Amino acid sequence: MPDGFLTPKRRTIRDVDGLIEAGLAAEKSRAGLEQVAETYAVAIPGAIRELIGTPDDPIGRQFVPDAAELVTAAHETADPVGDEAKSPVRGVVHRYPDRVLLKPLLACPVYCRFCFRREQVGPDGGVLTAAELEKAYDYIQGQAGVREIILTGGDPLMLSARRLGGILGRLAAMTQVEVLRIHTRAPVAEPALVTDALADAMDIAAPLFVVLHANHARELTAEAVAAVRKIQLRGVPVLGQSVLLAGVNDSEAALADLWRAMLRARIKPYYLHQLDPAPGTARFFVAPERGRAILAALRGKISGTALPTYVWDRPGGAGKVPL
Ligand code: SF4
């Protein structure tokens, strides 16, 4: 990854030695985990490490690699939401007539073991060059029907303030574009990434929304909430999105706690995603019937403002449908 794009890294577990040293893996599991780490990126930043009691608790399960990831089920696929099929130029996904995704980089501060882009994301991959960004801008500018641009990745809040501000400025200047959005896990995974300078880069005249990915109430630490607040104080509303995950949040109590914690942080729960069938993620699967039953049971028990829409991203790039 080119220097100067990213803010300095904090100490992060990135390999099996680090996992064993931190007590998150046993020496006897080394061989299997080495294989997992060669296949899918591993990163557990300090802020997340502090939340993990055991590798199998609701936080550990999301981030500590497991040998089960080496088994790909028959229905699992490398590109479950069809990014490739809907990508007209590198870094752009155009799935709906009025929205496009722009992925300026494919690195994340933390790598989720259930990630739907796990075949693409990683510390070395996917930073768009200046020329590629120009091509992406040209493509989007040429799409008269596009009203909204969603910056995703990877995690756009790993960009430096200067680079993020530059990208937001170019997108906001496009005449047909009405709304910008950033999808991120950074405020939870590595709150220190949200510096005043980065938050200032989001203080733009165009309507900008941030969508925070969090799956368990414990992820919304005081530090994470303070990072979110910095963004909100720049006039940027923050929405929440979560994935329904076995052993993490697949209960009425866990989801009620999560969404109430979001509301307390002034975050509106927006989407609950059905798990996408990315390779080696079967241990997180929750049947949609069960998801529906949990949501139905919560209706009326918690405030309507706390309830997101439960959605499934259809394979092949066909888009989301409510479940
Ligand atoms: S932060 Fe998002 S893109 Fe990155 S690994 Fe997690 S789910 Fe995937």
Side-chain angles (χ1 to χ4, degrees):
M1 186 173 300
D3 288 338
F5 282 10
L6 306 179
T7 50
K9 291 192 175 60
R10 286 164 57 176
R11 189 170 141 67
T12 295
I13 298 171
R14 294 194 179 275
D15 54 26
V16 178
D17 282 340
L19 289 168
I20 292 172
E21 244 171 66
L24 295 177
E27 186 59 48
K28 64 177 191 256
S29 321
R30 181 184 284 278
L33 292 179
E34 298 277 12
Q35 233 181 306
V36 175
E38 275 165 30
T39 315
Y40 305 113
V42 173
I44 304 177
I48 292 288
R49 170 68 193 95
E50 284 161 23
L51 298 177
I52 300 174
T54 65
D56 208 35
D57 72 18
I59 310 297
R61 257 176 95 74
Q62 294 184 65
F63 308 111
V64 178
D66 189 294
E69 294 174 45
L70 297 170
V71 181
T72 300
H75 70 287
E76 291 175 345
T77 138
D79 183 16
V81 300
D83 276 0
E84 281 305 312
K86 299 286 176 180
S87 180
V89 296
R90 187 167 141 81
V92 172
V93 179
H94 196 175
R95 191 172 287 135
Y96 305 98
D98 66 336
R99 279 153 283 166
V100 293
L101 302 187
L102 175 61
K103 300 186 284 185
L105 81 174
L106 289 171
C108 301
V110 71
Y111 292 102
C112 311
R113 308 324 299 167
F114 51 85
C115 175
F116 67 116
R117 292 200 179 111
R118 60 188 332 211
E119 296 276 353
Q120 288 92 45
V121 295
D124 307 319
V127 177
L128 294 188
T129 63
E132 286 168 336
L133 259 182
E134 287 301 327
K135 272 196 191 147
Y137 296 146
D138 284 350
Y139 173 81
I140 298 169
Q141 181 71 78
Q143 304 300 307
V146 168
R147 292 164 183 267
E148 183 172 8
I149 304 171
I150 299 151
L151 276 183
T152 182
D155 197 319
L157 296 195
M158 287 193 85
L159 295 166
S160 68
R162 181 185 59 78
R163 189 133 168 102
L164 180 68
I167 292 173
L168 289 174
R170 285 293 294 271
L171 299 178
M174 293 184 188
T175 46
Q176 84 279 31
V177 173
E178 296 173 359
V179 178
L180 302 176
R181 218 199 288 175
I182 295 174
H183 285 188
T184 182
R185 204 149 172 40
V188 158
E190 202 166 353
L193 286 171
V194 187
T195 58
D196 285 331
L198 194 78
D200 285 345
M202 290 182 251
D203 189 357
I204 56 174
L208 169 67
F209 291 78
V210 162
V211 183
L212 175 75
H213 173 183
N215 301 318
H216 194 275
R218 285 208 291 119
E219 291 170 46
L220 292 161
T221 60
E223 224 188 332
V225 171
V228 167
R229 193 75 188 126
K230 272 190 197 170
I231 296 169
Q232 292 164 331
L233 286 172
R234 270 64 177 188
V236 178
V238 179
L239 309 173
Q241 64 176 341
S242 313
V243 185
L244 182 61
L245 299 166
V248 174
N249 58 15
D250 58 333
S251 69
E252 279 179 55
L255 288 176
D257 284 352
L258 169 64
W259 294 330
R260 285 185 176 131
M262 283 188 179
L263 281 191
R264 285 196 299 276
R266 301 173 172 86
I267 300 166
K268 164 72 186 109
Y270 166 52
Y271 275 148
L272 174 67
H273 295 271
Q274 177 65 17
L275 179 75
D276 294 309
T281 61
R283 68 193 170 115
F284 294 106
F285 178 76
V286 179
E289 302 71 44
R290 176 121 185 284
R292 281 198 203 98
I294 295 173
L295 269 276
L298 283 173
R299 210 165 290 279
K301 280 194 195 148
I302 62 170
S303 162
T305 53
L307 282 172
T309 306
Y310 180 29
V311 289
W312 173 53
D313 234 315
R314 289 170 296 169
K320 288 184 190 61
V321 284
L323 277 168

